[in-house]
Amino acid sequence: MADLEELYREIILDHYRSPRNRGELTDEAALRAEGFNPLCGDEILITLHVDHGVLSDIKISGQGCSISQSSASLMSAAVKGKSLDEVRQIIATFKTLMTVHEAQLEDGDAEPEAVDLRKLGELAALQGVVKFPMRIKCATLGWNTLTQCLDDASL
Amino acid sequence: MATVSGTLDVNAIRRDFPLLERQSHGHRLSYLDSGASSLPPHAVVEAMATYYETTHANVHRGVYETAEEATRLYEDARRTVGRFLGASHPTREIAFTKNTTEAINLLAHSWGGANLGEGDVVVLSIMEHHANIVPWQMLAAAKGIELRWLGLTDELRLDLDGLDEALDGAKLLSITAMSNVLGTINPIGDLARAAHDAGALIHVDGAQAVPHLPTDVVASELDFLSFSGHKMLGPTGIGVLYGKAELLAAMPPFLGGGGMILDVRTDRFTAAEAPQRFEAGTPPIAEAVGLAEAVRYIDSIGITSIRAHELELTSYALDALDGVANGHLTVHGPPAGPDRGGVLSITLDDVHAHDVAQILDSVGVCVRPGHHCAKPLMRHLGVQATARASFGLYNGTDDVDALVEGLEQATTLFG
Ligand SMILES: Cc1ncc(COP(=O)(O)O)c(C=O)c1O
């Protein structure tokens, strides 16, 4: 099935099998946030360092399905080394990608207008998720947890 | 082709279930989620539609003809359900609720509220559904009762070694007749005798067992039994709490309102007799009509034949799954046998249950991923989620074959 192949693209399977930035920063300066998906039991722990307005390091741990794990891995690669402004922008762009209107889906495969997929780089691989509404929560788990982490630290 | 060794004519049965005619993603629908909710046969849908179109009126109040007919249908449903369970006094022992969950909350609130206090013990097992855990935890928080837990053997059966110790001084054993995750069937007759010997009562969560196994509340000496209509070919919105007549008669009301009273004054009310006492407000009338029809449908096939069919299918499935994924597939539950129901909780080493279910969906196979509202059990198993296939009388070997094929596809994709 074409939709299923789009969901499980090679990039996604690659990030699932070999997640980037896996682990936990345990020093005191590290910021931490935990996220849960109560429906399927997915769990994620994000730890990160912010240095002079730059997200200098990030580690992800936890368990979950290929979509939640690969999305978090892709996210970590996309935000690491970026300024906090850039990080917020990337989060916003990704959220827009995930909330694309159903009307657009029904119009065939029109690209969501609000999102410039080229700007998303590898993250664009996750666009197949929007055709599986039940899986959007999986894809956004890491991102919501990262937002939570930054909000908690008032960053 | 779909029939397994002739116990049931699955192809004929499927014609009674219109939903099975639809396709899903271009495939024949393999509905393997009856443990979550079963499909209703046409007869059930028709009975409810006929009731609404020819009879509907509120029960217990009107004196006009249709209101009397509606009341009679509702009360007939109580008798039909009671007889199905082997109850001695169906009209006094069957309380209709919204579902199993509400039945257990009724029991905990009403019986527990009146009979349990600080330090009193309720025994549960680690394989319970949250519906048979959380109401007791709420009671523990409110009244300081103690909860004790029965564990499992290595083969994922109930560990009976700790039973007598756990029951010592207990007031209630509240336990499932069949696990919705493992398929383990518990020896409820033996458990009832052990509970009674220890001076405790027994409540059985029959949500998974009543639809699939013969039930006899008298022979098994059950004090209370709860289950849901929607898992036994009936409609959603109706469940049952069975209680022995003298026990229900002594219990205080649960929800307050119309229908559950004899008299109301400004300073007090007098509750109606059981079971009306537990049925505040307009009850699920059409749903009761539908549930009674579901019971008649099950009776027409025979619950013993349904059980035999599902056991054969379970053995067939366990054999077929044995060869999948080169030893990287686990079915969490005991081997096929008389104490094993048609529930297969599957994990693949390298594919998360959510992904397994997604890939199965793409070939028309409906299974459920997740923790199945049994998180203490999942922690015991050391897994976060399983993909659960559960059988109904309309399933055949072709559904198992589709499941196996989908699982092979999942291992290839993630391999
Ligand atoms: C063993 C068991 N108990 C209780 C329930 C709860 O049933 P309901 O959701 O109909 O209240 C279920 C169903 O999910 C179950 O499998």
Side-chain angles (χ1 to χ4, degrees), chain B residues 68-83:
Chain B
E68 279 181 4
E69 277 174 31
T71 304
R72 200 178 64 239
L73 285 172
Y74 182 69
E75 293 303 324
D76 279 352
R78 205 188 295 282
R79 274 187 278 274
T80 303
V81 169
R83 277 196 294 268

Side-chain angles (χ1 to χ4, degrees), chain B residues 32-38 100 104 125-132 152 156-158 174-189 191 202-215 220 222 224-228 231-232 303 306-311 313-314 318 332-345 372-374 377 388-393 395:
Chain B
L32 295 175
D33 201 18
S34 295
S37 202
S38 53
T100 308
I104 301 176
S125 89
I126 205 79
M127 69 170 90
E128 299 312 309
H129 186 281
H130 295 164
N132 192 29
L152 305 181
L156 301 175
R157 297 189 170 93
L158 191 67
S174 184
I175 191 160
T176 188
M178 174 173 147
S179 163
N180 65 317
V181 176
L182 307 170
T184 306
I185 295 169
N186 290 322
I188 52 168
L191 292 169
I202 183 166
H203 159 252
V204 167
D205 174 349
Q208 294 295 332
V210 171
H212 302 280
L213 310 169
T215 304
S220 299
L222 304 189
F224 298 105
L225 172 72
S226 50
F227 55 97
S228 297
K231 294 186 200 278
M232 52 185 292
I303 189 82
I306 292 173
R307 168 61 183 148
H309 167 71
E310 290 176 3
L311 183 55
L313 205 51
T314 305
L318 287 171
H332 302 269
D339 64 349
R340 178 69 156 94
V343 173
L344 304 169
S345 265
H372 317 299
C373 296
L377 175 60
R388 181 187 72 181
S390 51
F391 297 133
L393 75 172
N395 290 123

Side-chain angles (χ1 to χ4, degrees), chain B residues 293-308:
Chain B
E293 194 59 34
V295 167
R296 280 190 284 275
Y297 184 86
I298 291 172
D299 275 339
S300 75
I301 309 279
I303 189 82
T304 317
S305 307
I306 292 173
R307 168 61 183 148

Side-chain angles (χ1 to χ4, degrees), chain A residues 79-151:
Chain A
V79 300
K80 190 170 161 176
K82 296 285 188 331
S83 76
L84 291 177
D85 281 349
E86 288 172 304
V87 170
R88 289 286 188 180
Q89 256 169 34
I90 296 169
I91 295 176
T93 314
F94 182 75
K95 284 285 188 73
T96 317
L97 178 68
M98 286 299 116
T99 52
V100 54
H101 287 295
E102 267 161 7
Q104 271 171 307
L105 286 179
E106 280 157 15
D107 285 350
D109 284 335
E111 302 283 43
E113 274 171 48
V115 183
D116 182 352
L117 290 172
R118 282 163 307 183
K119 273 205 316 217
L120 279 170
E122 281 200 319
L123 288 175
L126 285 159
Q127 67 178 306
V129 172
V130 289
K131 293 203 179 132
F132 297 86
M134 298 292 286
R135 304 306 292 278
I136 292 175
K137 277 214 164 61
C138 308
T140 52
L141 178 64
W143 297 80
N144 289 335
T145 310
L146 175 60
T147 306
Q148 183 73 47
C149 190
L150 298 177
D151 287 353

Side-chain angles (χ1 to χ4, degrees), chain B residues 120-309:
Chain B
D120 282 339
V121 173
V122 171
V123 180
L124 308 172
S125 89
I126 205 79
M127 69 170 90
E128 299 312 309
H129 186 281
H130 295 164
N132 192 29
I133 297 176
V134 180
W136 306 110
Q137 289 176 327
M138 289 166 70
L139 203 59
K143 305 196 91 189
I145 66 165
E146 179 194 338
L147 302 182
R148 287 189 197 147
W149 298 86
L150 298 173
L152 305 181
T153 66
D154 291 346
E155 281 206 317
L156 301 175
R157 297 189 170 93
L158 191 67
D159 186 358
L160 297 171
D161 282 351
L163 181 65
D164 288 339
E165 197 185 326
L167 283 173
D168 188 27
K171 289 264 168 78
L172 180 74
L173 169 61
S174 184
I175 191 160
T176 188
M178 174 173 147
S179 163
N180 65 317
V181 176
L182 307 170
T184 306
I185 295 169
N186 290 322
I188 52 168
D190 296 344
L191 292 169
R193 277 179 285 281
H196 293 151
D197 286 348
L201 297 182
I202 183 166
H203 159 252
V204 167
D205 174 349
Q208 294 295 332
V210 171
H212 302 280
L213 310 169
T215 304
D216 186 327
V217 289
V218 173
S220 299
E221 297 180 31
L222 304 189
D223 299 304
F224 298 105
L225 172 72
S226 50
F227 55 97
S228 297
H230 70 95
K231 294 186 200 278
M232 52 185 292
L233 314 182
T236 58
I238 189 162
V240 171
L241 178 68
Y242 159 86
K244 268 191 195 153
E246 63 273 21
L247 292 170
L248 285 190
M251 279 161 52
F254 173 42
L255 301 174
M260 50 72 71
I261 49 90
L262 284 179
D263 189 25
V264 180
R265 293 165 189 265
T266 52
D267 60 343
R268 74 195 121 101
F269 72 93
T270 314
E273 298 288 302
Q276 283 74 25
R277 186 187 306 158
F278 307 111
E279 296 178 355
T282 300
I285 311 164
E287 288 76 6
V289 169
L291 177 57
E293 194 59 34
V295 167
R296 280 190 284 275
Y297 184 86
I298 291 172
D299 275 339
S300 75
I301 309 279
I303 189 82
T304 317
S305 307
I306 292 173
R307 168 61 183 148
H309 167 71

Side-chain angles (χ1 to χ4, degrees), chain A residues 11-85:
Chain A
I11 295 183
I12 290 181
L13 295 178
D14 175 50
H15 275 261
Y16 178 54
R17 291 191 194 104
S18 347
R20 320 294 196 267
N21 301 304
R22 185 91 189 149
E24 185 179 340
L25 300 166
T26 52
D27 60 293
E28 280 201 358
L31 303 175
R32 315 162 63 83
E34 266 184 298
F36 297 96
N37 183 341
L39 283 182
C40 51
D42 285 3
E43 302 167 2
I44 190 166
L45 170 68
I46 293 183
T47 47
L48 56 85
H49 282 154
V50 175
D51 247 350
H52 298 95
V54 171
L55 197 159
S56 55
D57 202 3
I58 180 166
K59 295 273 187 220
I60 313 273
S61 65
Q63 295 183 303
C65 66
S66 64
I67 304 302
S68 75
Q69 297 299 291
S70 63
S71 182
S73 170
L74 283 158
M75 175 187 79
S76 71
V79 300
K80 190 170 161 176
K82 296 285 188 331
S83 76
L84 291 177
D85 281 349

Side-chain angles (χ1 to χ4, degrees), chain A residues 8 38 41 63-66 132 135, chain B residues 352 355 358 362 371 384 413 415:
Chain A
Y8 294 120
Q63 295 183 303
C65 66
S66 64
F132 297 86
R135 304 306 292 278
Chain B
H352 191 276
D355 295 311
Q358 190 82 64
S362 73
H371 53 62
Q384 205 192 8
L413 186 65

